[in-house]
Amino acid sequence: MPLRFPGALPEHPTEAQLADECRRGNLRAFEMLYQQHASRMKSLAFRMLGSRADAEDAVQEAFLKVHKAVRGFEGQSSLATWVYRILLNCCYDALRRRERLAETAPARDFPAPGKLPLKLALERALAMLNDRQRIVFLMFEVEGLKHSEIAAILEVPEGTCRSWLFEAKSQLKRILTETAR
Amino acid sequence: MKFECGDLEQALRTPELMPEAREHLRFCAECRREYQLWLQISSTARSLHEEWETPELWGRIRSTIEAGIQPAPPVWKRWPVLAIAAAILLALIATPLLWQRAHTPASHAQPGANGDDDFLTEQALAEVEKNEAAYRQSIDKLSRLAEAKLKKPASPYVANEQEKLLAIDSAIDETRANVKLNRFNVHLQTTLADLYREKQQTLEELLSREQKN
Ligand SMILES: [Zn+2]
């Protein structure tokens, strides 16, 4: 892809403008895309992979894949949806690589002591959910994405997404009630 | 319908049942605890958003992208040039041999040889593909080994080698896709073999340096 330097990109481009400029290889547009989503992407990857270093690697890999494939992005979904989908795939790949290497549980960067006990209990309970429950819970409750956005990222109907979230919360409630006893 | 403790779960899913549930909660401490926990799960979840500074991350992404786009001087030191040069060299060696074989009388020609010196015979191709699969497996093993051994955060040397590996991988993907379309093309097969060799050498160097450190 030819390299383009900051060009005619408005200060607040629409998603379509941003997608167009990314497709043209405008690095400034990629940087804007990064600024818009990196914080949430890092957090999501951190919750999936359990370490900040791995989360940063996943975000980096996702953006490199986005850059490589963006010319073929035809806008069937929004650019952001597509970016998150790629990030999730990078996280799943990382988890699979970890499984293949038969690593033990990753060194988790647990938050500093002094936080609410429920927060710690919830972190641990989250690890006991199945993949779809965990990812929907993380995207909706932790990162604040809308059901419509999550449904588009996961390519499932919105009702399915709501139902997975309900399953996740019921399961968490059950785990937390049991461990509190 | 008389609302019972077991109905709470259903009420949480069905907003229409919530007025009855609330009435029940006034008198049932156990359900009240469960309902509070339900609400707390959502409110606590927000605090699980993890925020930390990564001032260097975009720079890393950007320089990897740029390294993949811009030919950085000195040009003779860049790996794709080496790989292409090696591919040309090998093709120069291989071509006369193939040409000779292609021009031997038909009775001696291998099945599939069509007189085009750019193409492998069916039998030679089977051999090449078998070797490629074995080679890929051993390199994948090496990759996994390297991945496990590399320390984090990566040193500038390691980061540079990782970028190089990324570029090699993407070249391998591209060449393999072309090979799929044109399996008998000797130049593509040679380029692919070279890229594998380049990847192997890079991984081996990376591993030996990491072991020394
Ligand atoms: Zn009750």
Side-chain angles (χ1 to χ4, degrees):
Chain A
M1 179 185 294
L3 177 66
R4 285 180 89 238
F5 290 99
L9 191 62
E11 202 178 329
H12 302 289
T14 62
E15 224 209 35
Q17 285 171 324
L18 201 57
D20 270 350
E21 283 303 308
C22 285
R23 251 187 238 114
R24 292 190 182 119
N26 182 340
L27 274 185
R28 176 79 193 107
F30 275 103
E31 190 173 359
M32 271 192 176
L33 188 68
Y34 172 87
Q35 305 292 6
Q36 284 174 7
H37 301 288
S39 159
R40 222 183 221 173
M41 287 170 75
K42 279 190 296 180
S43 176
L44 188 58
F46 168 77
R47 288 290 160 203
M48 287 183 77
L49 301 173
S51 101
R52 288 180 170 185
D54 288 346
E56 288 172 29
D57 286 350
V59 170
Q60 174 168 349
E61 195 188 336
F63 270 97
L64 294 177
K65 284 191 171 160
V66 166
H67 178 264
K68 204 175 147 191
V70 74
R71 270 200 298 180
F73 171 70
E74 284 164 358
Q76 304 93 330
S77 60
S78 83
L79 183 62
T81 298
W82 184 63
V83 171
Y84 277 94
R85 201 180 296 148
I86 289 177
L87 174 74
L88 291 188
N89 287 332
C90 291
C91 290
Y92 286 128
D93 284 348
L95 289 170
R96 271 193 291 271
R97 281 197 295 270
R98 197 182 276 169
E99 253 170 49
R100 275 209 303 270
L101 289 165
E103 278 182 5
T104 47
R108 298 186 71 96
D109 297 345
F110 273 119
K115 301 268 169 72
L116 289 173
L118 182 60
K119 184 177 169 180
L120 286 171
L122 189 56
E123 277 186 317
R124 273 156 213 182
L126 267 170
M128 294 159 149
L129 298 184
N130 67 34
D131 284 348
R132 68 182 199 198
Q133 292 169 345
R134 187 181 316 110
I135 194 63
V136 171
F137 183 87
L138 289 175
M139 287 199 278
F140 185 86
E141 299 283 5
V142 180
E143 302 306 333
L145 273 80
K146 296 185 194 115
H147 276 302
S148 57
E149 294 169 329
I150 301 168
I153 293 167
L154 301 180
E155 298 178 283
V156 296
E158 223 178 288
T160 305
C161 181
R162 285 176 197 278
S163 160
W164 288 352
L165 179 69
F166 186 84
E167 273 176 27
K169 284 182 72 182
S170 302
Q171 185 74 352
L172 289 169
K173 178 163 72 69
R174 192 184 57 72
I175 297 166
L176 293 171
T177 311
E178 277 170 12
T179 48
R181 270 177 198 145
Chain B
M1 167 190 151
K2 188 180 175 328
F3 196 98
E4 288 176 4
C5 297
D7 297 327
L8 181 64
E9 188 94 359
Q10 186 57 31
L12 294 172
R13 199 191 265 271
T14 325
E16 301 86 75
L17 292 178
M18 273 319 281
E20 281 176 74
R22 283 206 184 86
E23 195 53 34
H24 175 81
L25 294 177
R26 287 173 59 202
F27 306 102
C28 178
E30 183 138 348
C31 285
R32 206 158 51 232
R33 264 197 303 278
E34 269 201 48
Y35 183 59
Q36 270 165 359
L37 181 58
W38 181 265
L39 298 177
Q40 277 177 327
I41 287 172
S42 292
S43 57
T44 310
R46 265 156 238 151
S47 69
L48 292 185
H49 172 82
E50 190 83 359
E51 193 84 46
W52 73 100
E53 292 294 319
T54 48
E56 76 301 338
L57 184 55
W58 169 248
R60 232 159 69 195
I61 296 170
R62 188 189 164 110
S63 57
T64 309
I65 290 175
E66 285 173 334
I69 302 165
Q70 287 179 319
V75 79
W76 57 89
K77 283 196 178 168
R78 303 279 300 168
W79 73 268
V81 178
L82 290 177
I84 291 162
I88 292 168
L89 189 68
L90 272 162
L92 284 173
I93 298 164
T95 304
L97 294 173
L98 284 159
W99 188 87
Q100 200 178 12
R101 188 156 37 170
H103 288 79
T104 49
S107 58
H108 298 292
Q110 295 289 332
N114 55 5
D116 184 338
D117 55 13
D118 273 353
F119 291 89
L120 290 165
T121 64
E122 193 71 64
Q123 199 184 358
L125 177 66
E127 196 62 30
V128 167
E129 286 180 340
K130 207 175 98 191
N131 288 341
E132 192 225 327
Y135 208 50
R136 268 172 73 78
Q137 270 185 352
S138 69
I139 292 180
D140 282 350
K141 216 188 242 174
L142 205 58
S143 295
R144 288 197 290 276
L145 201 64
E147 207 174 326
K149 291 242 164 108
L150 294 181
K151 293 176 197 115
K152 278 180 185 166
S155 64
Y157 166 77
V158 170
N160 188 44
E161 293 302 278
Q162 281 171 329
E163 278 170 23
K164 180 174 157 185
L165 285 168
L166 207 70
I168 297 177
D169 277 340
S170 99
I172 287 177
D173 288 347
E174 213 162 288
T175 313
R176 288 192 82 220
N178 286 329
V179 165
K180 264 189 200 143
L181 298 172
N182 195 358
R183 289 161 65 237
F184 293 91
N185 187 303
V186 74
H187 298 299
L188 287 173
Q189 296 282 10
T190 322
T191 308
L192 189 58
D194 267 65
L195 288 167
Y196 282 136
R197 209 162 316 162
E198 182 74 25
K199 181 170 179 179
Q200 186 186 11
Q201 274 170 9
T202 309
L203 286 166
E204 281 167 353
E205 275 166 31
L206 202 53
L207 276 169
S208 76
R209 264 184 84 139
E210 280 301 291
Q211 266 153 10
K212 275 182 216 150
N213 292 340

